Amino acid sequence: MSLAPSLPGARPRRPNWKWISIAIASIGVAVLVGANVHLVYVALRSQPDCVPHARDASDTGDGFRAAKSAC
């Protein structure tokens, strides 16, 4: 004799895979968008300082010369 009577035709609840897959895809898209927003934010906020370099082709400084100096 069981303690809980079973209803005729009752089945155990199964997970709704459609909603689970939509939730997983939504989380993935949110992570992707968030990472891209962070990338753009960091790119716009960081400005590298000017470093010493040869300004003209006639300079005989060590190292490389900038193609178009912004400093």
Side-chain angles (χ1 to χ4, degrees):
M1 185 170 202
S2 67
L3 295 175
S6 61
L7 298 174
R11 295 185 304 172
R13 256 185 105 167
R14 295 183 347 184
N16 190 348
W17 290 108
K18 178 181 178 182
W19 290 110
I20 292 172
S21 61
I22 289 173
I24 290 172
S26 298
I27 290 170
V29 168
V31 168
L32 184 69
V33 168
N36 283 319
V37 167
H38 176 69
L39 180 68
V40 170
Y41 172 77
V42 170
L44 293 176
R45 287 291 175 188
S46 65
Q47 290 281 330
D49 292 334
C50 291
V51 295
H53 62 277
R55 304 265 185 221
D56 295 326
S58 63
D59 289 345
T60 58
D62 294 339
F64 297 102
R65 182 173 64 92
K68 184 177 180 183
S69 179
C71 301

